[in-house]
Amino acid sequence: MEIHRLVLPGPGPAAPQDAAPLCARLALLYDGGAQAVVCDAAAVTAPGLGDVHVLARLRLAARGRPLRVTGAAPALRALLDLVGLVELLGEAEQREPPCGVQEGVEPDDPAV
């Protein structure tokens, strides 16, 4: 499977109008036979909500096809986690355990 690369402009933050040309490029890659696309975010060193907007639009434009973000700085990772787009990084979301489930039991814990 050939993986194609799409590069986010940096250092950031992106403007909302940056999304349309990137989405068009993504569509061309998929229409040209790309099975998966990697979005390189290494140049984004000062991310903002504009970058989140662009990545969300790219996720929608992918229409369920494989799209992964690489090279994301910790600040961009935190923003993506905050808005629920952490799956773009190829990482599982960290969620709270269901109510009533204890992760560990201490000997002197009261019964629930």
Side-chain angles (χ1 to χ4, degrees):
M1 172 170 67
E2 187 177 354
I3 299 175
H4 294 270
R5 192 167 164 243
L6 185 69
V7 180
L8 286 181
Q17 61 266 23
D18 294 336
L22 288 168
C23 288
R25 174 74 178 127
L26 181 66
L28 284 174
L29 288 172
Y30 283 127
D31 291 345
Q35 297 297 309
V37 175
V38 171
C39 186
D40 184 356
V44 182
T45 57
L49 291 179
D51 299 296
V52 172
H53 172 81
V54 168
L55 288 169
R57 291 276 307 274
L58 286 170
R59 181 69 189 118
L60 289 172
R63 298 179 189 226
R65 294 171 286 201
L67 175 67
R68 200 175 123 216
V69 176
T70 60
L76 182 56
R77 289 174 169 274
L79 280 172
L80 292 175
D81 189 29
L82 181 68
V83 299
L85 291 173
V86 73
E87 78 273 359
L88 288 174
L89 300 171
E91 302 169 358
E93 289 186 58
Q94 292 182 351
R95 298 183 183 217
E96 291 292 320
C99 290
V101 175
Q102 289 184 326
E103 293 182 19
V105 178
E106 297 295 324
D108 56 345
D109 279 350
V112 179

